[in-house]
mmCIF file of all heavy atoms in Angstrom:
data_model
loop_
_atom_site.group_PDB
_atom_site.id
_atom_site.type_symbol
_atom_site.label_atom_id
_atom_site.label_comp_id
_atom_site.label_asym_id
_atom_site.label_seq_id
_atom_site.Cartn_x
_atom_site.Cartn_y
_atom_site.Cartn_z
ATOM 1 N N ALA R 1 97.241 180.839 33.655
ATOM 2 C CA ALA R 1 95.963 180.030 33.519
ATOM 3 C C ALA R 1 95.556 179.537 34.890
ATOM 4 O O ALA R 1 94.365 179.605 35.234
ATOM 5 C CB ALA R 1 96.288 178.847 32.560
ATOM 6 N N GLU R 2 96.572 178.982 35.641
ATOM 7 C CA GLU R 2 96.173 178.406 37.015
ATOM 8 C C GLU R 2 95.679 179.559 37.916
ATOM 9 O O GLU R 2 94.719 179.396 38.685
ATOM 10 C CB GLU R 2 97.373 177.760 37.628
ATOM 11 C CG GLU R 2 97.866 176.548 36.832
ATOM 12 C CD GLU R 2 97.022 175.359 37.163
ATOM 13 O OE1 GLU R 2 96.144 175.434 38.030
ATOM 14 O OE2 GLU R 2 97.198 174.323 36.399
ATOM 15 N N SER R 3 96.187 180.768 37.790
ATOM 16 C CA SER R 3 95.757 181.919 38.642
ATOM 17 C C SER R 3 94.374 182.375 38.312
ATOM 18 O O SER R 3 93.739 182.965 39.085
ATOM 19 C CB SER R 3 96.766 183.043 38.476
ATOM 20 O OG SER R 3 96.575 183.736 37.243
ATOM 21 N N LEU R 4 93.940 182.025 37.071
ATOM 22 C CA LEU R 4 92.639 182.434 36.640
ATOM 23 C C LEU R 4 91.616 181.208 36.758
ATOM 24 O O LEU R 4 90.488 181.387 36.287
ATOM 25 C CB LEU R 4 92.632 182.904 35.220
ATOM 26 C CG LEU R 4 93.420 184.161 34.945
ATOM 27 C CD1 LEU R 4 93.542 184.429 33.388
ATOM 28 C CD2 LEU R 4 92.731 185.363 35.575
ATOM 29 N N GLY R 5 92.018 180.125 37.385
ATOM 30 C CA GLY R 5 91.097 179.045 37.549
ATOM 31 C C GLY R 5 91.017 178.083 36.365
ATOM 32 O O GLY R 5 90.127 177.261 36.403
ATOM 33 N N MET R 6 91.950 178.212 35.465
ATOM 34 C CA MET R 6 92.018 177.287 34.300
ATOM 35 C C MET R 6 93.031 176.247 34.593
ATOM 36 O O MET R 6 93.886 176.428 35.412
ATOM 37 C CB MET R 6 92.387 178.083 33.094
ATOM 38 C CG MET R 6 91.610 179.360 32.736
ATOM 39 S SD MET R 6 92.428 180.258 31.351
ATOM 40 C CE MET R 6 91.453 181.735 31.424
ATOM 41 N N ALA R 7 92.903 175.114 33.891
ATOM 42 C CA ALA R 7 93.950 174.138 34.046
ATOM 43 C C ALA R 7 95.094 174.534 33.089
ATOM 44 O O ALA R 7 94.858 174.962 31.995
ATOM 45 C CB ALA R 7 93.382 172.731 33.526
ATOM 46 N N GLY R 8 96.331 174.425 33.667
ATOM 47 C CA GLY R 8 97.522 174.809 32.842
ATOM 48 C C GLY R 8 98.392 173.604 32.679
ATOM 49 O O GLY R 8 98.832 173.022 33.733
ATOM 50 N N ILE R 9 98.597 173.167 31.465
ATOM 51 C CA ILE R 9 99.369 171.988 31.222
ATOM 52 C C ILE R 9 100.459 172.267 30.132
ATOM 53 O O ILE R 9 100.307 172.777 29.156
ATOM 54 C CB ILE R 9 98.434 170.882 30.531
ATOM 55 C CG1 ILE R 9 97.228 170.589 31.422
ATOM 56 C CG2 ILE R 9 99.197 169.586 30.141
ATOM 57 C CD1 ILE R 9 96.101 169.856 30.685
ATOM 58 N N THR R 10 101.699 171.922 30.658
ATOM 59 C CA THR R 10 102.864 172.133 29.772
ATOM 60 C C THR R 10 103.262 170.875 29.070
ATOM 61 O O THR R 10 102.662 169.804 29.239
ATOM 62 C CB THR R 10 104.059 172.763 30.622
ATOM 63 O OG1 THR R 10 104.207 172.009 31.809
ATOM 64 C CG2 THR R 10 103.888 174.194 30.855
ATOM 65 N N GLY R 11 104.315 170.973 28.275
ATOM 66 C CA GLY R 11 104.615 169.967 27.231
ATOM 67 C C GLY R 11 105.458 168.691 27.567
ATOM 68 O O GLY R 11 105.922 167.987 26.730
ATOM 69 N N LEU R 12 105.889 168.581 28.892
ATOM 70 C CA LEU R 12 106.847 167.518 29.213
ATOM 71 C C LEU R 12 106.301 166.060 28.927
ATOM 72 O O LEU R 12 107.005 165.295 28.381
ATOM 73 C CB LEU R 12 107.287 167.641 30.647
ATOM 74 C CG LEU R 12 108.474 166.670 31.055
ATOM 75 C CD1 LEU R 12 109.647 166.776 30.168
ATOM 76 C CD2 LEU R 12 108.743 166.799 32.587
ATOM 77 N N GLU R 13 105.094 165.900 29.265
ATOM 78 C CA GLU R 13 104.453 164.586 28.922
ATOM 79 C C GLU R 13 104.425 164.328 27.549
ATOM 80 O O GLU R 13 104.659 163.224 27.065
ATOM 81 C CB GLU R 13 103.102 164.448 29.506
ATOM 82 C CG GLU R 13 103.049 164.320 31.045
ATOM 83 C CD GLU R 13 101.663 164.505 31.564
ATOM 84 O OE1 GLU R 13 101.154 165.623 31.458
ATOM 85 O OE2 GLU R 13 101.063 163.553 32.100
ATOM 86 N N MET R 14 104.047 165.331 26.722
ATOM 87 C CA MET R 14 104.007 165.166 25.229
ATOM 88 C C MET R 14 105.415 164.933 24.708
ATOM 89 O O MET R 14 105.584 164.018 23.823
ATOM 90 C CB MET R 14 103.458 166.475 24.575
ATOM 91 C CG MET R 14 103.553 166.442 23.061
ATOM 92 S SD MET R 14 102.918 167.960 22.382
ATOM 93 C CE MET R 14 103.475 167.725 20.657
ATOM 94 N N LEU R 15 106.426 165.585 25.144
ATOM 95 C CA LEU R 15 107.823 165.337 24.775
ATOM 96 C C LEU R 15 108.226 163.897 24.957
ATOM 97 O O LEU R 15 108.752 163.284 24.108
ATOM 98 C CB LEU R 15 108.761 166.300 25.486
ATOM 99 C CG LEU R 15 110.244 166.087 25.168
ATOM 100 C CD1 LEU R 15 110.589 166.563 23.773
ATOM 101 C CD2 LEU R 15 111.156 166.739 26.174
ATOM 102 N N ILE R 16 107.931 163.396 26.115
ATOM 103 C CA ILE R 16 108.329 161.978 26.534
ATOM 104 C C ILE R 16 107.469 160.996 25.699
ATOM 105 O O ILE R 16 108.030 160.021 25.247
ATOM 106 C CB ILE R 16 108.149 161.697 27.996
ATOM 107 C CG1 ILE R 16 109.027 162.740 28.858
ATOM 108 C CG2 ILE R 16 108.360 160.285 28.331
ATOM 109 C CD1 ILE R 16 108.662 162.793 30.317
ATOM 110 N N ALA R 17 106.204 161.234 25.578
ATOM 111 C CA ALA R 17 105.275 160.383 24.783
ATOM 112 C C ALA R 17 105.720 160.287 23.265
ATOM 113 O O ALA R 17 105.825 159.215 22.730
ATOM 114 C CB ALA R 17 103.813 160.751 24.851
ATOM 115 N N GLN R 18 106.003 161.405 22.717
ATOM 116 C CA GLN R 18 106.387 161.399 21.275
ATOM 117 C C GLN R 18 107.804 160.729 21.150
ATOM 118 O O GLN R 18 108.054 160.045 20.126
ATOM 119 C CB GLN R 18 106.369 162.782 20.704
ATOM 120 C CG GLN R 18 107.359 163.786 21.119
ATOM 121 C CD GLN R 18 108.778 163.665 20.536
ATOM 122 O OE1 GLN R 18 108.879 163.150 19.412
ATOM 123 N NE2 GLN R 18 109.775 164.199 21.161
ATOM 124 N N ALA R 19 108.653 160.950 22.037
ATOM 125 C CA ALA R 19 109.958 160.289 22.041
ATOM 126 C C ALA R 19 109.879 158.768 22.193
ATOM 127 O O ALA R 19 110.582 158.123 21.502
ATOM 128 C CB ALA R 19 110.878 160.829 23.262
ATOM 129 N N LYS R 20 108.928 158.332 22.978
ATOM 130 C CA LYS R 20 108.683 156.911 23.080
ATOM 131 C C LYS R 20 108.292 156.284 21.736
ATOM 132 O O LYS R 20 108.847 155.250 21.398
ATOM 133 C CB LYS R 20 107.572 156.611 24.133
ATOM 134 C CG LYS R 20 107.375 155.228 24.585
ATOM 135 C CD LYS R 20 106.489 154.338 23.719
ATOM 136 C CE LYS R 20 105.023 154.683 23.868
ATOM 137 N NZ LYS R 20 104.103 153.691 23.247
ATOM 138 N N VAL R 21 107.416 156.957 21.088
ATOM 139 C CA VAL R 21 106.956 156.525 19.730
ATOM 140 C C VAL R 21 108.118 156.553 18.717
ATOM 141 O O VAL R 21 108.332 155.660 17.917
ATOM 142 C CB VAL R 21 105.745 157.195 19.223
ATOM 143 C CG1 VAL R 21 105.359 156.809 17.816
ATOM 144 C CG2 VAL R 21 104.628 157.163 20.152
ATOM 145 N N ALA R 22 108.890 157.636 18.764
ATOM 146 C CA ALA R 22 110.091 157.805 17.930
ATOM 147 C C ALA R 22 111.064 156.623 18.139
ATOM 148 O O ALA R 22 111.624 156.058 17.199
ATOM 149 C CB ALA R 22 110.776 159.078 18.127
ATOM 150 N N VAL R 23 111.371 156.306 19.391
ATOM 151 C CA VAL R 23 112.179 155.152 19.703
ATOM 152 C C VAL R 23 111.732 153.814 19.103
ATOM 153 O O VAL R 23 112.465 153.050 18.559
ATOM 154 C CB VAL R 23 112.500 154.994 21.193
ATOM 155 C CG1 VAL R 23 113.247 153.771 21.510
ATOM 156 C CG2 VAL R 23 113.311 156.255 21.682
ATOM 157 N N GLU R 24 110.413 153.691 19.218
ATOM 158 C CA GLU R 24 109.753 152.464 18.657
ATOM 159 C C GLU R 24 110.046 152.416 17.137
ATOM 160 O O GLU R 24 110.293 151.263 16.552
ATOM 161 C CB GLU R 24 108.245 152.460 18.936
ATOM 162 C CG GLU R 24 107.914 152.223 20.424
ATOM 163 C CD GLU R 24 106.464 152.336 20.653
ATOM 164 O OE1 GLU R 24 105.785 153.105 19.972
ATOM 165 O OE2 GLU R 24 105.962 151.608 21.624
ATOM 166 N N ILE R 25 109.982 153.568 16.457
ATOM 167 C CA ILE R 25 110.248 153.618 15.078
ATOM 168 C C ILE R 25 111.731 153.426 14.755
ATOM 169 O O ILE R 25 112.079 152.620 13.847
ATOM 170 C CB ILE R 25 109.771 154.876 14.476
ATOM 171 C CG1 ILE R 25 108.178 155.098 14.588
ATOM 172 C CG2 ILE R 25 110.149 155.104 13.011
ATOM 173 C CD1 ILE R 25 107.687 156.383 14.300
ATOM 174 N N PHE R 26 112.581 154.097 15.540
ATOM 175 C CA PHE R 26 113.997 153.908 15.280
ATOM 176 C C PHE R 26 114.466 152.492 15.412
ATOM 177 O O PHE R 26 115.277 151.995 14.564
ATOM 178 C CB PHE R 26 114.759 154.685 16.484
ATOM 179 C CG PHE R 26 114.763 156.181 16.361
ATOM 180 C CD1 PHE R 26 114.167 156.885 15.347
ATOM 181 C CD2 PHE R 26 115.473 156.965 17.333
ATOM 182 C CE1 PHE R 26 114.201 158.243 15.258
ATOM 183 C CE2 PHE R 26 115.598 158.262 17.229
ATOM 184 C CZ PHE R 26 114.898 158.956 16.210
ATOM 185 N N LEU R 27 113.963 151.780 16.439
ATOM 186 C CA LEU R 27 114.456 150.424 16.716
ATOM 187 C C LEU R 27 113.516 149.342 16.267
ATOM 188 O O LEU R 27 113.862 148.159 16.474
ATOM 189 C CB LEU R 27 114.771 150.332 18.284
ATOM 190 C CG LEU R 27 115.750 151.346 18.751
ATOM 191 C CD1 LEU R 27 115.972 151.114 20.327
ATOM 192 C CD2 LEU R 27 117.135 151.284 18.031
ATOM 193 N N ASP R 28 112.292 149.657 15.835
ATOM 194 C CA ASP R 28 111.396 148.637 15.431
ATOM 195 C C ASP R 28 111.018 147.770 16.616
ATOM 196 O O ASP R 28 111.141 146.536 16.552
ATOM 197 C CB ASP R 28 111.836 147.881 14.193
ATOM 198 C CG ASP R 28 110.706 147.104 13.634
ATOM 199 O OD1 ASP R 28 109.490 147.451 13.786
ATOM 200 O OD2 ASP R 28 110.972 146.032 12.959
ATOM 201 N N LYS R 29 110.657 148.342 17.702
ATOM 202 C CA LYS R 29 110.323 147.520 18.877
ATOM 203 C C LYS R 29 109.221 148.258 19.731
ATOM 204 O O LYS R 29 109.133 149.522 19.581
ATOM 205 C CB LYS R 29 111.524 147.217 19.782
ATOM 206 C CG LYS R 29 112.004 148.422 20.644
ATOM 207 C CD LYS R 29 113.078 147.927 21.533
ATOM 208 C CE LYS R 29 113.380 149.039 22.599
ATOM 209 N NZ LYS R 29 114.323 148.594 23.611
ATOM 210 N N LYS R 30 108.451 147.583 20.477
ATOM 211 C CA LYS R 30 107.378 148.131 21.271
ATOM 212 C C LYS R 30 107.863 148.481 22.664
ATOM 213 O O LYS R 30 108.565 147.677 23.275
ATOM 214 C CB LYS R 30 106.219 147.079 21.345
ATOM 215 C CG LYS R 30 105.035 147.587 22.066
ATOM 216 C CD LYS R 30 104.292 148.727 21.439
ATOM 217 C CE LYS R 30 103.084 149.207 22.190
ATOM 218 N NZ LYS R 30 102.441 150.384 21.639
ATOM 219 N N ILE R 31 107.429 149.661 23.156
ATOM 220 C CA ILE R 31 107.674 150.100 24.479
ATOM 221 C C ILE R 31 106.342 150.418 25.142
ATOM 222 O O ILE R 31 105.470 151.047 24.591
ATOM 223 C CB ILE R 31 108.580 151.381 24.539
ATOM 224 C CG1 ILE R 31 109.924 151.048 23.861
ATOM 225 C CG2 ILE R 31 108.784 151.804 25.967
ATOM 226 C CD1 ILE R 31 110.691 152.308 23.569
ATOM 227 N N GLU R 32 106.122 149.896 26.328
ATOM 228 C CA GLU R 32 104.838 150.060 27.042
ATOM 229 C C GLU R 32 104.687 151.538 27.410
ATOM 230 O O GLU R 32 105.585 152.246 27.752
ATOM 231 C CB GLU R 32 104.788 149.229 28.313
ATOM 232 C CG GLU R 32 104.736 147.707 27.948
ATOM 233 C CD GLU R 32 103.615 147.353 27.131
ATOM 234 O OE1 GLU R 32 102.472 147.810 27.390
ATOM 235 O OE2 GLU R 32 103.828 146.562 26.197
ATOM 236 N N ASP R 33 103.391 151.978 27.400
ATOM 237 C CA ASP R 33 103.075 153.407 27.712
ATOM 238 C C ASP R 33 103.448 153.744 29.157
ATOM 239 O O ASP R 33 103.684 154.928 29.482
ATOM 240 C CB ASP R 33 101.613 153.674 27.511
ATOM 241 C CG ASP R 33 101.305 154.075 25.968
ATOM 242 O OD1 ASP R 33 102.235 154.172 25.228
ATOM 243 O OD2 ASP R 33 100.133 154.210 25.636
ATOM 244 N N GLY R 34 103.431 152.676 30.038
ATOM 245 C CA GLY R 34 103.866 153.051 31.423
ATOM 246 C C GLY R 34 105.172 153.642 31.578
ATOM 247 O O GLY R 34 105.417 154.339 32.592
ATOM 248 N N LYS R 35 106.045 153.452 30.639
ATOM 249 C CA LYS R 35 107.314 154.036 30.740
ATOM 250 C C LYS R 35 107.301 155.495 30.645
ATOM 251 O O LYS R 35 108.129 156.227 31.228
ATOM 252 C CB LYS R 35 108.239 153.502 29.560
ATOM 253 C CG LYS R 35 109.735 153.777 29.686
ATOM 254 C CD LYS R 35 110.377 153.086 30.832
ATOM 255 C CE LYS R 35 111.856 153.366 30.864
ATOM 256 N NZ LYS R 35 112.479 152.752 32.058
ATOM 257 N N ILE R 36 106.315 156.060 29.909
ATOM 258 C CA ILE R 36 106.193 157.500 29.768
ATOM 259 C C ILE R 36 105.896 158.144 31.088
ATOM 260 O O ILE R 36 106.643 159.079 31.471
ATOM 261 C CB ILE R 36 104.898 157.864 28.861
ATOM 262 C CG1 ILE R 36 105.171 157.256 27.473
ATOM 263 C CG2 ILE R 36 104.753 159.327 28.725
ATOM 264 C CD1 ILE R 36 103.899 157.278 26.510
ATOM 265 N N ASP R 37 104.964 157.528 31.877
ATOM 266 C CA ASP R 37 104.575 158.197 33.236
ATOM 267 C C ASP R 37 105.791 158.024 34.189
ATOM 268 O O ASP R 37 105.985 158.806 35.027
ATOM 269 C CB ASP R 37 103.336 157.508 33.722
ATOM 270 C CG ASP R 37 102.803 158.243 34.906
ATOM 271 O OD1 ASP R 37 102.550 159.524 34.784
ATOM 272 O OD2 ASP R 37 102.600 157.701 36.012
ATOM 273 N N GLU R 38 106.490 156.882 34.018
ATOM 274 C CA GLU R 38 107.625 156.639 34.909
ATOM 275 C C GLU R 38 108.737 157.681 34.774
ATOM 276 O O GLU R 38 109.159 158.325 35.679
ATOM 277 C CB GLU R 38 108.174 155.302 34.608
ATOM 278 C CG GLU R 38 109.405 154.918 35.414
ATOM 279 C CD GLU R 38 110.087 153.604 35.004
ATOM 280 O OE1 GLU R 38 109.313 152.743 34.487
ATOM 281 O OE2 GLU R 38 111.276 153.455 34.970
ATOM 282 N N ILE R 39 109.012 158.016 33.457
ATOM 283 C CA ILE R 39 109.994 159.062 33.235
ATOM 284 C C ILE R 39 109.526 160.421 33.552
ATOM 285 O O ILE R 39 110.184 161.252 34.127
ATOM 286 C CB ILE R 39 110.432 158.991 31.686
ATOM 287 C CG1 ILE R 39 111.144 157.688 31.397
ATOM 288 C CG2 ILE R 39 111.368 160.212 31.392
ATOM 289 C CD1 ILE R 39 111.387 157.458 29.906
ATOM 290 N N TYR R 40 108.187 160.677 33.271
ATOM 291 C CA TYR R 40 107.603 161.949 33.557
ATOM 292 C C TYR R 40 107.669 162.226 35.092
ATOM 293 O O TYR R 40 108.076 163.400 35.498
ATOM 294 C CB TYR R 40 106.220 162.036 33.104
ATOM 295 C CG TYR R 40 105.488 163.246 33.549
ATOM 296 C CD1 TYR R 40 105.756 164.521 32.980
ATOM 297 C CD2 TYR R 40 104.394 163.200 34.490
ATOM 298 C CE1 TYR R 40 105.186 165.692 33.405
ATOM 299 C CE2 TYR R 40 103.754 164.317 34.859
ATOM 300 C CZ TYR R 40 104.072 165.546 34.355
ATOM 301 O OH TYR R 40 103.496 166.728 34.770
ATOM 302 N N ARG R 41 107.274 161.330 35.915
ATOM 303 C CA ARG R 41 107.278 161.546 37.343
ATOM 304 C C ARG R 41 108.683 161.774 37.901
ATOM 305 O O ARG R 41 108.840 162.681 38.761
ATOM 306 C CB ARG R 41 106.621 160.369 38.053
ATOM 307 C CG ARG R 41 105.100 160.242 37.808
ATOM 308 C CD ARG R 41 104.527 159.003 38.458
ATOM 309 N NE ARG R 41 103.114 158.867 38.159
ATOM 310 C CZ ARG R 41 102.198 159.448 38.904
ATOM 311 N NH1 ARG R 41 102.506 160.303 39.868
ATOM 312 N NH2 ARG R 41 100.854 159.266 38.607
ATOM 313 N N ARG R 42 109.647 161.078 37.458
ATOM 314 C CA ARG R 42 111.090 161.269 37.873
ATOM 315 C C ARG R 42 111.496 162.685 37.436
ATOM 316 O O ARG R 42 112.096 163.403 38.217
ATOM 317 C CB ARG R 42 111.931 160.168 37.288
ATOM 318 C CG ARG R 42 113.442 160.322 37.788
ATOM 319 C CD ARG R 42 114.328 159.425 37.099
ATOM 320 N NE ARG R 42 114.252 159.499 35.608
ATOM 321 C CZ ARG R 42 114.833 160.525 34.975
ATOM 322 N NH1 ARG R 42 115.429 161.511 35.581
ATOM 323 N NH2 ARG R 42 114.753 160.566 33.606
ATOM 324 N N MET R 43 111.324 163.026 36.137
ATOM 325 C CA MET R 43 111.838 164.284 35.688
ATOM 326 C C MET R 43 111.126 165.501 36.244
ATOM 327 O O MET R 43 111.716 166.408 36.704
ATOM 328 C CB MET R 43 111.657 164.318 34.145
ATOM 329 C CG MET R 43 112.595 163.500 33.401
ATOM 330 S SD MET R 43 112.476 163.730 31.582
ATOM 331 C CE MET R 43 113.305 165.326 31.421
ATOM 332 N N LYS R 44 109.828 165.395 36.479
ATOM 333 C CA LYS R 44 109.031 166.411 37.154
ATOM 334 C C LYS R 44 109.606 166.610 38.577
ATOM 335 O O LYS R 44 109.799 167.797 39.022
ATOM 336 C CB LYS R 44 107.606 166.000 37.218
ATOM 337 C CG LYS R 44 106.734 167.174 37.798
ATOM 338 C CD LYS R 44 105.221 166.714 37.758
ATOM 339 C CE LYS R 44 104.409 167.828 38.348
ATOM 340 N NZ LYS R 44 102.935 167.430 38.401
ATOM 341 N N ALA R 45 109.883 165.493 39.346
ATOM 342 C CA ALA R 45 110.396 165.664 40.645
ATOM 343 C C ALA R 45 111.764 166.333 40.652
ATOM 344 O O ALA R 45 112.109 167.207 41.495
ATOM 345 C CB ALA R 45 110.521 164.272 41.334
ATOM 346 N N ASP R 46 112.639 165.954 39.666
ATOM 347 C CA ASP R 46 113.988 166.573 39.585
ATOM 348 C C ASP R 46 113.935 167.985 39.199
ATOM 349 O O ASP R 46 114.802 168.789 39.596
ATOM 350 C CB ASP R 46 114.800 165.798 38.517
ATOM 351 C CG ASP R 46 115.107 164.319 38.899
ATOM 352 O OD1 ASP R 46 115.026 164.029 40.103
ATOM 353 O OD2 ASP R 46 115.541 163.526 38.045
ATOM 354 N N LEU R 47 112.884 168.396 38.376
ATOM 355 C CA LEU R 47 112.886 169.795 37.907
ATOM 356 C C LEU R 47 112.162 170.770 38.805
ATOM 357 O O LEU R 47 112.276 171.953 38.675
ATOM 358 C CB LEU R 47 112.195 169.853 36.564
ATOM 359 C CG LEU R 47 112.970 169.154 35.394
ATOM 360 C CD1 LEU R 47 112.052 168.933 34.181
ATOM 361 C CD2 LEU R 47 114.251 169.945 35.076
#
């Protein structure tokens, strides 16, 4: 996609975002969305 000039987006952000909501359901507590981007940036750098 990127080689053809399209935006190419993979699923790591989706994985983290859905996990955040799952944890909220598991524990019945609220987690700020900022935590998603924090984890994403760290994992992306590591990978």
Side-chain angles (χ1 to χ4, degrees):
E2 295 285 351
S3 74
L4 294 172
M6 309 169 188
I9 303 163
T10 45
L12 185 58
E13 286 168 295
M14 175 180 169
L15 177 72
I16 299 166
Q18 68 81 20
K20 191 271 290 190
V21 178
V23 172
E24 291 177 328
I25 295 169
F26 284 4
L27 303 180
D28 192 25
K29 74 171 190 177
K30 180 67 178 172
I31 301 170
E32 293 302 316
D33 276 355
K35 190 68 176 175
I36 301 170
D37 193 55
E38 177 186 328
I39 296 173
Y40 172 70
R41 289 177 183 277
R42 180 189 57 73
M43 290 187 70
K44 185 179 178 182
D46 290 346
L47 292 167

